[in-house]
Amino acid sequence: MIEILKKIPFFAQLPKKDLDVIIAQVKMDYFPAGYTVFRQGDSAPLMYIIKRGTVRVVRDGRVLAELSDNAFFGEMALVSNERRNATVETVTDVELLTLGRDDFKNLMSANPDIASMVSYEVVRRANALS
Ligand code: CMP
């Protein structure tokens, strides 16, 4: 698992002691092409990092983005404490890493670089919603 995490830019910058903590928290998930990971309006227990594959982000029937290897999604509802603002469905078979709400928030509090990367993306994505 540590080799997997080190290859993912989201985690690569973390020191070994933090990676050891993350290893205990991250889970791997696999979905086939054409699968709905979650729907707009769902409540939000997890955020996701794409290890391999492509997903599509759809809001009100409009495709907002396609995200592939190393991108993350599902962070907005965790940061804002709101419901999912879009549906995410798989385009290809995907391998995902998932992190629970509290572990994700703790990771951001303890790692300013990750917090600023996530905040940057949240602002950019929020601007694209309207
Ligand atoms: P969340 O609101 O938890 O669930 C839907 C996810 O889609 C959202 O978090 C983001 O991760 C992602 N998302 C929303 N808007 C965009 C966008 N414009 N570009 C890329 N991803 C987005």
Side-chain angles (χ1 to χ4, degrees):
M1 184 56 121
I2 197 149
E3 292 312 315
I4 293 175
L5 294 185
K6 278 198 210 150
K7 288 198 192 106
I8 295 187
F10 192 90
F11 295 120
Q13 56 194 308
L14 291 174
K16 165 108 175 41
K17 70 168 174 41
D18 290 358
L19 281 176
D20 288 340
V21 174
I22 296 293
I23 284 171
Q25 299 170 340
V26 159
K27 294 199 175 60
M28 305 240 1
D29 230 334
Y30 303 84
F31 297 118
Y35 182 88
T36 300
V37 180
F38 56 71
R39 289 182 195 282
Q40 184 174 345
D42 282 355
S43 59
L46 301 172
M47 65 85 69
Y48 301 77
I49 299 155
I50 304 173
K51 177 168 179 289
R52 187 185 55 79
T54 302
V55 303
R56 184 183 291 136
V57 179
V58 183
R59 178 178 162 86
D60 299 334
R62 184 167 70 99
V63 177
L64 292 181
E66 287 201 354
L67 304 172
S68 295
D69 300 20
N70 298 321
F72 57 87
F73 64 90
E75 80 294 354
M76 293 178 83
L78 300 195
V79 168
S80 65
N81 291 318
E82 287 174 4
R83 289 183 171 256
R84 299 298 192 193
N85 62 32
T87 295
V88 172
E89 57 200 31
T90 60
V91 177
T92 65
D93 293 358
V94 293
E95 281 180 60
L96 303 172
L97 302 177
T98 68
L99 200 54
R101 168 187 289 267
D102 291 346
D103 293 334
F104 173 60
K105 289 194 167 180
N106 290 339
L107 179 70
M108 287 212 297
S109 325
N111 295 279
D113 289 349
I114 290 185
S116 56
M117 175 180 66
V118 169
S119 313
Y120 176 86
E121 205 56 43
V122 166
V123 171
R124 199 181 66 78
R125 291 173 176 181
N127 285 335
L129 290 180
S130 45

